Amino acid sequence: MTNKYKYFVANWKMYGNKKSVNSLKKVIKFSKMSKFKTAKIVYCPPYTILGDFIKKFKNTNIKVGAQDCHFIDGEGPYTGFVSSKMIKQIGSQYVIIGHSEQRKSGDTDIKINKKILSSINNNLNVIFCIGENLKQKKKNLTKKILSYQIKKGLNKVKNFNKIFVAYEPVWSIGSGKIQSEKELFKNIESIRLILKNIKNRHQFKILYGGSVNDKNINLLSKIKNIDGFLIGGASQKPNKFIDIIKKSYI
Ligand code: 13P
């Protein structure tokens, strides 16, 4: 893996409004600088401003994704939901699936698997989130949990080119805590091994997420088996987001 092809996915969660679109100008300008042209930037705002982001990033290299989708492929009587087909139709190229905040509000591994299958069917790139919670970590169950989530989530998946696995330890999200370089490297290696057993010889892209910021990025970007980052809080501030990209682009 080369440092020059890192992915930087901004997950805006339930933040942002029409006005926030203006803050993207800086990032667009930055993304055009020749030195950083190969950085792959993806923004995942809430559904309400997905269309605005798509419009804003037209004719740029920056891509847009949704933060979730329904597991039914297409349309149907599902009040309050949005399908992968709709996300694709509006012009998104990515979708986050299985985020721990969605798992907390009812996403099961079976639902996640259906969401992944429908998203691939609609030609979306899937950012498939996995990760252990604190209790599981303390019980030394991390590897087992990761393996379980990967196997269930990727069941029946055939097109692995569209899959990005995002390792987000639940206890690290929004807490300011990250694991040691050594531990993170080891966990990513475990994920690679689990994936290898599912699809030998496929070069999976693995992202890391959980309290990534402009301070710890120096350390995180040294971990050579990570292909990019899924960034929450720090991605909403253009200066911080740009700083993260710059610092990991040595
Ligand atoms: P933070 O970067 O705010 O910890 O959030 C991580 C995350 O959940 C990204 O999907």
Side-chain angles (χ1 to χ4, degrees):
M1 191 206 58
T2 145
N3 271 352
K4 294 211 167 158
Y5 285 92
K6 280 204 174 157
Y7 291 82
F8 301 89
V9 183
N11 175 9
W12 273 27
K13 309 195 177 190
M14 205 168 72
Y15 294 97
N17 52 44
K18 290 243 180 210
K19 278 191 195 151
S20 1
V21 179
N22 294 327
S23 75
L24 305 174
K25 272 189 217 145
K26 267 190 184 170
V27 184
I28 294 175
K29 200 170 159 208
F30 168 78
S31 72
K32 291 184 174 158
M33 289 167 69
S34 57
K35 192 176 169 202
F36 303 104
K37 249 187 175 159
T38 52
K40 298 193 188 301
I41 303 172
V42 182
Y43 267 87
C44 301
Y47 293 131
T48 47
I49 46 175
L50 206 51
D52 300 272
F53 275 51
I54 290 165
K55 219 164 125 191
K56 190 83 187 168
F57 291 138
K58 215 174 157 210
N59 303 323
T60 75
N61 282 331
I62 303 175
K63 308 283 187 243
V64 176
Q67 296 173 16
D68 188 36
C69 68
H70 194 266
F71 59 84
I72 295 286
D73 193 350
E75 294 171 335
Y78 302 100
T79 306
F81 294 101
V82 172
S83 69
S84 53
K85 187 177 174 187
M86 292 166 160
I87 291 168
K88 182 68 186 182
Q89 271 170 354
I90 194 178
S92 298
Q93 296 189 19
Y94 287 78
V95 61
I96 298 174
I97 307 250
H99 193 283
S100 64
E101 285 149 14
Q102 281 293 336
R103 289 181 190 257
K104 256 183 236 156
S105 42
D107 250 8
T108 60
D109 291 290
I110 291 175
K111 266 195 200 169
I112 289 167
N113 175 241
K114 285 185 183 166
K115 289 180 178 189
I116 292 178
L117 290 170
S118 94
S119 299
I120 291 179
N121 202 26
N122 285 289
N123 213 17
L124 286 165
N125 292 296
V126 174
I127 299 165
F128 167 38
C129 301
I130 55 167
E132 80 286 1
N133 62 32
L134 192 58
K135 211 164 146 190
Q136 292 159 342
K137 174 182 160 60
K138 283 185 175 162
K139 284 189 179 165
N140 254 329
L141 291 173
T142 300
K143 222 163 140 179
K144 211 169 156 184
I145 294 295
L146 297 177
S147 170
Y148 184 84
Q149 291 177 340
I150 290 172
K151 281 179 189 151
K152 291 281 176 190
L154 296 183
N155 187 28
K156 294 190 193 143
V157 170
K158 292 197 177 74
N159 182 0
F160 291 95
N161 291 325
K162 293 270 172 199
I163 301 285
F164 291 69
V165 176
Y167 174 46
E168 295 208 308
V170 183
W171 53 271
S172 187
I173 295 174
S175 67
K177 291 183 190 140
I178 56 165
Q179 49 202 290
S180 70
E181 221 177 303
K182 206 171 139 194
E183 195 183 353
L184 186 49
F185 182 85
K186 196 187 82 191
N187 286 335
I188 302 278
E189 279 307 281
S190 301
I191 294 169
R192 290 210 181 272
L193 199 66
I194 297 160
L195 291 168
K196 198 174 167 206
N197 286 333
I198 293 177
K199 180 81 179 159
N200 200 4
R201 279 193 267 166
H202 184 80
Q203 208 42 47
F204 281 94
K205 290 174 215 71
I206 303 182
L207 313 180
Y208 167 77
S211 292
V212 176
N213 61 38
D214 49 330
K215 309 273 178 316
N216 59 26
I217 192 67
N218 284 333
L219 187 141
L220 287 169
S221 58
K222 278 190 207 137
I223 304 172
K224 288 294 173 213
N225 54 1
I226 298 176
D227 298 300
F229 301 99
L230 179 54
I231 308 155
S235 71
Q236 289 165 44
K237 305 240 163 40
N239 287 344
K240 280 196 178 175
F241 191 48
I242 288 171
D243 227 28
I244 291 174
I245 303 175
K246 270 187 186 162
K247 287 182 177 167
S248 54
Y249 222 81
I250 338 136

